[in-house]
Amino acid sequence: MEYASCRWIESAVVLEPESLRFCCIPHSGNKGYVPICDYTGGKFPVEKLKEARRKLIEQNNSDGDSPCKGCHFLERRDWDAERKSDALLEAVYVSHYSICNLRCRYCYVYLYEGTLIDVGYELLPVIREMIDDGLLMDGAYIEWGGGEPTILKDFPAVQRLLVERGYPQQVSTSGVRFSQELEDGVRAGTIRAVTSIDAGTRETYKKVKGRDKFDVVFENVARYAKTGGDMTVKYILRADNSDPTNLKRFAEKCAEAGVKKIVITPDQEEVAQDQVTEETLYAFALLRYEAKKRGIYPMIRDEYVSPEDMRRVRKYVPLQLWWWRYGLYRLKALAVEGARRTGKAVRRLLDSGTTRAAIRRAQEIAPDDEGTLRELLEHQTTAPHPELRDKLAETVKARPNRRELRGAITTVGVSEEGWTLDGETGFVVVDGGASEKRFRPELVFHCTDDESDLPVKMTIADGVHDDIEFTFLESRFRRIELPEMEPGEVGIFAVRTDKTWLLRENGTERRVGVRVTDMTHA
């Protein structure tokens, strides 16, 4: 009998630090990551999983909404007829840890650092129970996600058990640490190793991955590839690594390392935030072309992204056929950028009188005059001027009882807890006077705990750089980097939201937008 379900619901489980989930698929805004039950190790909750599976299938086949409706994996099929065995599980996704030896700027381990558990529980007893009690189908698929699996204490012991029983695996590894167990598995053909390098130059690697390990990673990739097994290298294309120089050099480095296959995927968050640039779309076609030219098999895929989005990223594929589309886009983009710059220059000229007046007012302002200070900060973040910026930074620094965050960051116009209030703009002032080298300030933002208030769109603007836009689709802390700053430089940023929501706290109610804080207070 046909009914709506998916392979994750029917036969898989995701092991997280404090829970079990059916999947790790985001979809339809803030849907996905469907929970089963709490779990922190110990006896595997077979009956709870079965009951959660039954209830979810019933919900997916009812007239109402469900956590899965809207997901591209949900299909009407005869799932019972397709079942491979009577075992409870045909796939296990191991993600019960967030410990890692990189700080990739797109990864949840970095974005939500400080709010995660390093390692949830010992994995070996859990896997052994699954095998001994017949919960795992013979030949069940094991995939390692999370942070970096090779630095887990029980990774070698778990590998020995899985290899001994012949379970096929995919292990996503940073490649920073060489693993003998991983090399042995790749050589034996039981492990597919996947390393996401995401750069073709050492400089870009450090920027995207957070550590200077470019050469070490390619050395280890070459060792795994030399076994003749499946060593796949991945490139997650983002706005900051999609330039032709990085793509061509990446293809060259892969060829030198003996890599036979690469996987090219979009950044899930850029997709969810609708921030995939045209340059990134073109990069899919260009990297595919550069890889094929060097005898490397390229795959453009990501099962976590909808088919519609995947069709979009193939816009310029194959490059030989559709290169002219991008040429037309570039001509139009240059014209638009020229008009934008002209418009900004005209606005600066028109605003010059009000800016001079704002500078004079800033020279006379008292540090405790919050109303005037916020008015001038608003002017600075819409019509920026270095003299006004520096004077306002001095005033903020002289304020009594100012709210300071880590990294010489001060907030203005927010509550004591850091909330923007009543739809008003909050401000962030970054003082780089003590810095001796370039730096990127980091802040942490939090929105509503009630998902019915979502989505909430936040904009961070300084009037100099492109605005940073982020839409909260779920309730959790989110780390965001501000634009890179020079030594001694001051930055002033406005924080705005497109709507407010009602915060009930300590017996009071107020309309708030986002909370501006840092990793210390997250």
Side-chain angles (χ1 to χ4, degrees):
M1 182 182 71
E2 290 190 349
Y3 59 92
S5 191
C6 77
R7 61 178 176 81
W8 297 79
I9 298 169
E10 294 293 321
S11 59
V13 68
V14 180
L15 305 178
E16 294 210 332
E18 296 181 300
S19 67
L20 303 179
R21 294 185 184 270
F22 282 110
C23 72
C24 46
I25 306 293
H27 71 93
S28 308
N30 59 353
K31 284 187 172 184
Y33 302 102
V34 185
I36 297 172
C37 65
D38 293 339
Y39 181 68
T40 55
K43 184 71 176 174
F44 192 77
V46 174
E47 295 307 316
K48 286 185 178 180
L49 190 153
K50 287 181 177 179
E51 179 62 12
R53 184 182 285 174
R54 183 193 65 77
K55 286 182 177 179
L56 185 58
I57 291 172
E58 183 179 285
Q59 198 175 1
N60 287 335
N61 288 273
S62 67
D63 293 334
D65 196 13
S66 81
C68 303
K69 289 184 179 179
C71 178
H72 58 283
F73 279 106
L74 192 66
E75 297 180 274
R76 290 195 67 83
R77 284 160 51 175
D78 189 343
W79 292 98
D80 290 331
E82 295 182 20
R83 203 173 305 282
K84 297 177 183 177
S85 78
D86 293 330
L88 182 69
L89 299 169
E90 297 177 7
V92 176
Y93 295 81
V94 182
S95 188
H96 74 304
Y97 56 97
S98 65
I99 188 170
C100 193
N101 46 22
L102 287 178
R103 302 176 79 239
C104 304
R105 291 317 193 241
Y106 53 77
C107 182
Y108 77 96
V109 173
Y110 168 76
L111 297 175
Y112 306 121
E113 185 180 11
T115 65
L116 303 173
I117 295 173
D118 283 349
V119 182
Y121 43 84
E122 282 191 60
L123 183 64
L124 183 60
V126 179
I127 298 295
R128 182 175 285 129
E129 179 193 351
M130 288 180 175
I131 295 172
D132 293 346
D133 291 358
L135 305 180
L136 271 184
M137 177 188 76
D138 289 342
Y141 172 73
I142 314 294
E143 182 171 325
W144 298 72
E148 173 53 36
T150 66
I151 58 179
L152 291 174
K153 182 180 178 181
D154 56 357
F155 181 78
V158 173
Q159 281 304 315
R160 285 192 292 271
L161 177 61
L162 293 174
V163 170
E164 176 187 320
R165 301 300 181 96
Y167 290 103
Q169 302 176 68
Q170 175 174 302
V171 179
S172 295
T173 174
S174 66
V176 171
R177 178 184 182 275
F178 178 78
S179 165
Q180 188 61 56
E181 293 79 20
L182 191 56
E183 183 188 52
D184 292 343
V186 172
R187 178 180 287 109
T190 58
I191 292 179
R192 177 194 184 203
V194 180
T195 296
S196 193
I197 295 182
D198 313 325
T201 66
R202 183 176 171 185
E203 295 73 24
T204 300
Y205 183 91
K206 185 177 180 180
K207 179 173 68 174
V208 174
K209 312 295 279 187
R211 294 187 68 194
D212 187 9
K213 296 293 182 181
F214 182 73
D215 295 329
V216 170
V217 168
F218 262 113
E219 287 172 9
N220 288 333
V221 163
R223 291 180 68 176
Y224 297 139
K226 193 175 181 180
T227 65
D230 191 341
M231 174 65 249
T232 299
V233 176
K234 189 174 179 181
Y235 202 113
I236 299 175
L237 284 167
R238 296 160 36 92
D240 57 1
N241 68 354
S242 296
D243 59 282
T245 298
N246 268 287
L247 304 182
K248 292 177 182 178
R249 187 64 188 128
F250 170 78
E252 291 170 358
K253 290 288 289 183
C254 285
E256 291 168 5
V259 172
K260 302 300 182 186
K261 180 170 62 177
I262 66 169
V263 172
I264 313 167
T265 77
D267 178 359
Q268 287 186 41
E269 183 159 288
E270 287 191 355
V271 172
Q273 296 285 323
D274 195 23
Q275 293 177 346
V276 179
T277 67
E278 202 71 20
E279 289 75 14
T280 299
L281 296 180
Y282 176 72
F284 279 91
L286 180 58
L287 183 50
R288 177 179 180 271
Y289 171 79
E290 293 293 338
K292 291 186 75 172
K293 190 166 70 173
R294 292 167 175 81
I296 300 171
Y297 176 66
M299 293 177 60
I300 297 178
R301 65 176 292 274
D302 194 324
E303 64 177 2
Y304 301 156
V305 178
S306 72
E308 292 79 12
D309 287 319
M310 289 309 295
R311 282 192 289 272
R312 184 183 173 213
V313 302
R314 289 177 170 272
K315 179 177 180 178
Y316 296 109
V317 176
L319 186 66
Q320 301 92 315
L321 186 61
W322 300 114
W323 61 269
W324 58 271
R325 282 182 175 175
Y326 187 67
L328 286 178
Y329 160 77
R330 288 299 303 156
L331 288 174
K332 292 178 183 177
L334 288 171
V336 170
E337 178 62 19
R340 188 179 73 87
R341 289 182 179 179
T342 301
K344 286 185 71 173
V346 170
R347 284 194 297 274
R348 278 198 302 269
L349 184 61
L350 294 174
D351 290 339
S352 60
T354 55
T355 298
R356 295 311 308 174
I359 293 171
R360 288 193 295 272
R361 291 178 68 195
Q363 291 169 342
E364 301 169 357
I365 187 176
D368 59 352
D369 185 354
E370 173 123 352
T372 302
L373 177 59
R374 291 177 64 172
E375 183 183 339
L376 295 175
L377 289 169
E378 186 75 45
H379 185 98
Q380 169 61 28
T381 55
T382 53
H385 190 283
E387 189 176 346
L388 176 60
R389 177 199 64 199
D390 292 345
K391 180 56 186 173
L392 289 174
E394 287 178 17
T395 302
V396 169
K397 194 172 183 178
R399 296 186 78 205
N401 303 317
R402 61 186 180 274
R403 180 174 180 267
E404 291 186 307
L405 302 176
R406 188 172 64 181
I409 295 174
T410 305
T411 58
V412 177
V414 300
S415 71
E416 290 182 8
E417 298 82 15
W419 292 104
T420 60
L421 299 168
D422 302 317
E424 297 292 327
T425 304
F427 298 95
V428 173
V429 180
V430 183
D431 183 1
S435 178
E436 297 180 354
K437 58 183 180 179
R438 288 184 176 182
F439 66 104
R440 292 187 77 98
E442 293 180 350
L443 286 170
V444 176
F445 298 88
H446 180 52
C447 197
T448 173
D449 286 326
D450 185 349
E451 296 200 348
S452 65
D453 293 318
L454 299 173
V456 174
K457 182 179 179 181
M458 175 181 68
T459 303
I460 304 170
D462 66 351
V464 179
H465 303 88
D466 290 338
D467 293 354
I468 299 171
E469 295 181 345
F470 181 80
T471 300
F472 287 90
L473 301 173
E474 59 180 337
S475 176
R476 68 187 308 174
F477 288 89
R478 176 60 161 78
R479 168 187 261 162
I480 291 180
E481 288 185 330
L482 301 181
E484 187 175 61
M485 295 175 59
E486 297 291 335
E489 186 180 359
V490 170
I492 297 178
F493 302 87
V495 180
R496 306 179 179 96
T497 58
D498 65 340
K499 62 182 178 183
T500 61
W501 52 279
L502 190 63
L503 175 67
R504 295 180 176 88
E505 192 173 63
N506 299 326
T508 62
E509 294 183 350
R510 52 186 172 174
R511 304 295 303 185
V512 300
V514 292
R515 184 183 176 206
V516 187
T517 184
D518 57 24
M519 293 308 302
T520 305
H521 301 93

